[in-house]
Amino acid sequence: MADFNKGDVLAIGSDHGGFELKQSIIEHLKEQGVEVRDFGCYDSNSVDYPEIALKVTGAIKSGEAKLGILVCGTGIGMSIAANKVKGIRAAACSETFSAKYTRLHNDSNVLCLGGRVIGPGVALEMVDLFINTKYEGGRHDRRVSAVMDIENL
């Protein structure tokens, strides 16, 4: 399961619509001592979000990173792209309750945020909840397994 601990790596990426928010998140996480790997983009020039989503999810699949954060304009495009990758459970969230419960009940391993939808204050609270909330397991294991079984259809 994807519980995040001190020393684990967090993969992060954005397209141009999420670049500024991604930079704020990176600074915030580094201040907390979290090891962050930035998979782009590296400025506000237009890029295609599926390419970034593939890099971040690839780092999770390979074991290079434990969790990921993806940021685009709404968070939706990134979540769609990320969820195409086997083993990824990405959730587009725009408020703190969902950011917490997607880890607690769904064992999500990627948080997707909208740089044009939420401000940095709420986003940073969501990031903290996402990385600090442990998967509850138990009654949720059956459901998470059922979701993952869909990949084999």
Side-chain angles (χ1 to χ4, degrees):
M1 298 299 166
D3 288 338
F4 196 77
N5 300 298
K6 188 166 180 68
D8 288 335
V9 174
L10 185 134
I12 193 166
S14 74
D15 70 359
H16 52 283
F19 174 71
E20 287 185 34
L21 183 56
K22 180 191 74 163
Q23 295 306 108
S24 297
I25 293 168
I26 291 171
E27 182 180 321
H28 174 74
L29 290 172
K30 286 185 174 181
E31 287 173 358
Q32 295 182 44
V34 175
E35 185 175 348
V36 179
R37 298 245 171 86
D38 184 356
F39 288 88
C41 68
Y42 304 108
D43 57 39
S44 59
N45 292 321
S46 182
V47 297
D48 295 331
Y49 63 83
E51 295 173 17
I52 304 299
L54 194 56
K55 290 177 184 179
V56 168
T57 57
I60 294 168
K61 282 193 62 147
S62 73
E64 177 184 349
K66 191 77 163 227
L67 295 175
I69 296 173
L70 290 166
V71 191
C72 63
T74 63
I76 297 168
M78 284 290 199
S79 69
I80 291 169
N83 279 312
K84 296 291 184 183
V85 177
K86 189 171 185 167
I88 298 300
R89 292 172 306 284
C93 298
S94 57
E95 36 68 33
T96 56
F97 186 86
S98 295
K100 177 180 178 178
Y101 278 84
T102 197
R103 288 283 306 121
L104 191 67
H105 289 181
N106 307 120
D107 196 26
S108 292
N109 50 13
V110 178
L111 175 65
C112 300
L113 302 171
R116 296 177 180 149
V117 177
I118 56 173
V122 172
L124 299 180
E125 286 182 50
M126 292 168 61
V127 166
D128 289 346
L129 284 167
F130 184 75
I131 67 172
N132 292 314
T133 299
K134 305 289 185 194
Y135 173 56
E136 193 172 62
R139 64 188 169 100
H140 304 290
D141 287 338
R142 185 179 82 252
R143 296 176 191 119
V144 171
S145 292
V147 168
M148 300 312 293
D149 287 345
I150 293 171
E151 294 177 341
N152 299 316
L153 296 178

